[in-house]
Amino acid sequence: MSPFLRFALAGAAATAAGNGLARFAYVPLFPAMVTAGWVDGGEAGMLGAAALLGYLVGILGGRGVALRLGVPGLLDCGMGLVVLALAACAWNGGFAWFLVWRTLAGIGGGLLMALAGPATQASVAPERRGAAGGVVISGVGLGIATGAAAVPALLSSGLPAAWLGLAGLVLGLWGFAHPRWPRMALTGEAAEAPPRARLLTATYGLHAAGMVPPMVYLADLAARGRGLGLGIGAAVWLVFGLAGVAGGILSGRVTDRIGGRRALAIWLAVQSLALALALPPWPALVLPAAAAAGFAAVGVTAVTLTVCREVAGARATGLWVRCTAAFAVMQTVVGFGLAALFAATGESHLAVFAAGLGFSLASLAGAMGLLRKADRMMAT
């Protein structure tokens, strides 16, 4: 296996486990937990929020842990936390029990997301860093698609089997990735504070806000909003994940050719299109909306990883952590806000997706600003 694939696939295994499975596999488990009486609806929602809070803690603490354990040690720590947390949820220990373990699952995912991408890019040739980042972040889409396919099958044997099955999948990914972990020094210039890059951070935060409606309400839009049923709702989520894999891999190739800022504007235009397609009351548009949303969700993250390196060079890890923290904060705040809007409007999908379109267009405007700023700098 070439060094490029060795490191990139290990990074993809980390993001598939820490984000795709630890976080997003909970989406189809949410109603199953409520139906089985393990938690009620409000408690299930709190468990989702707890994972987001844990994710933010993991992102912010990633560099500190890596300084003590090294990058491979941090990645092993993140994978171990995810395996343990998923396995622990196989026992119905009550709401407090689940709250602890869903928070720890989020922390593990945050640790993995903080360092897997930057470490992989630092371990490959400069001309292939965009492609490497694309492969790593496409792991999120792969994890989403795997969870969407695996959870319904595992649930036929009960909730404990579903949780243990997910833990087994992550354990397998860990076994594959462990001997292939990328390495990255966090001393010297890499340890220095990154540039502020406020516009990039704001752009990525607005992207996160715009992706809340598809990430939370997409399956419900198909199933109830367009009357397509639960089966189609699950299939739409699978399409979202598969399109995310394509968006991540293609974004890496594109950024290596045209640069991260131009690619960022293109992918955010696709995101805006996805939200716009969700507005008309036509069932036929749900599938292309899901594909465009998944393509953008993973692709924008992969492109932003490369833009961080273009802006900050060896200090890119610090900037990436800052951008990812902004992402987590915005998704948490906007998630609660849109939940309130959804309830206040009589469960109007139009209202929440229109809000998402507004955030997406604002993010696209930010990307265009970044591009104009870069063009001016090159001209001088």
Side-chain angles (χ1 to χ4, degrees):
M1 184 180 294
S2 70
F4 172 85
L5 282 178
R6 175 186 176 90
F7 296 131
L9 291 179
T15 60
N19 224 328
L21 291 172
R23 178 181 172 190
F24 288 113
Y26 182 67
V27 173
L29 281 168
F30 183 122
M33 296 273 285
V34 176
T35 301
W38 284 26
V39 291
D40 61 33
E43 290 172 338
M46 286 295 292
L47 295 180
L52 278 174
L53 177 61
Y55 182 73
L56 178 60
V57 171
I59 287 290
L60 295 176
R63 280 175 61 85
V65 175
L67 286 170
R68 291 171 176 79
L69 303 180
V71 170
L74 171 134
L75 296 172
D76 281 331
C77 180
M79 294 293 259
L81 268 178
V82 170
V83 170
L84 185 61
L86 292 174
C89 288
W91 179 61
N92 182 9
F95 173 66
W97 172 264
F98 292 124
L99 191 67
V100 169
W101 291 109
R102 288 307 295 159
T103 301
L104 288 174
I107 291 173
L111 293 175
L112 293 166
M113 197 66 174
L115 270 296
T120 300
Q121 287 192 324
S123 302
V124 303
E127 66 272 11
R128 303 206 69 188
R129 283 173 177 163
V135 172
V136 171
I137 303 302
S138 71
V140 177
L142 179 62
I144 291 172
T146 300
V151 167
L154 291 168
L155 280 173
S156 64
S157 299
L159 270 170
W163 284 110
L164 290 174
L166 291 175
L169 286 172
V170 175
L171 191 62
L173 290 169
W174 189 9
F176 167 81
H178 174 75
R180 300 172 175 85
W181 286 137
R183 297 177 182 272
M184 178 178 65
L186 291 173
T187 57
E189 188 180 357
E192 296 176 5
R196 293 186 181 276
R198 292 188 181 93
L199 183 55
L200 175 60
T201 305
T203 297
Y204 194 54
L206 287 166
H207 150 71
M211 286 309 305
V212 169
M215 286 181 173
V216 176
Y217 299 96
L218 182 63
D220 192 56
L221 173 71
R224 297 194 303 132
R226 301 294 180 260
L228 298 174
L230 293 175
I232 299 298
V236 161
W237 187 241
L238 177 61
V239 168
F240 181 95
L242 292 174
V245 176
I249 293 175
L250 183 60
S251 70
R253 297 180 178 275
V254 171
T255 54
D256 281 339
R257 294 189 178 186
I258 68 173
R261 294 170 181 86
R262 279 186 169 76
L264 184 59
I266 293 171
W267 257 257
L268 285 169
V270 174
Q271 176 176 324
S272 299
L273 174 63
L275 272 295
L277 287 173
L279 300 183
W282 303 329
L285 293 181
V286 172
L287 194 61
F295 187 87
V298 178
V300 170
T301 298
V303 172
T304 302
L305 176 63
T306 297
V307 176
C308 285
R309 184 158 291 276
E310 291 176 353
V311 171
R315 298 176 290 163
T317 301
L319 181 54
W320 170 245
V321 166
R322 186 180 296 162
C323 287
T324 308
F327 182 103
V329 170
M330 285 293 285
Q331 284 226 314
T332 302
V333 172
V334 173
F336 282 116
L338 290 186
L341 176 64
F342 193 59
T345 56
E347 299 190 349
S348 169
H349 293 93
L350 176 61
V352 295
F353 278 90
L357 177 58
F359 286 124
S360 299
L361 290 172
S363 183
L364 176 58
M368 297 303 296
L370 286 168
L371 185 55
R372 287 193 297 270
K373 183 178 179 180
D375 288 343
R376 286 196 301 269
M377 290 178 65
M378 290 182 64
T380 57

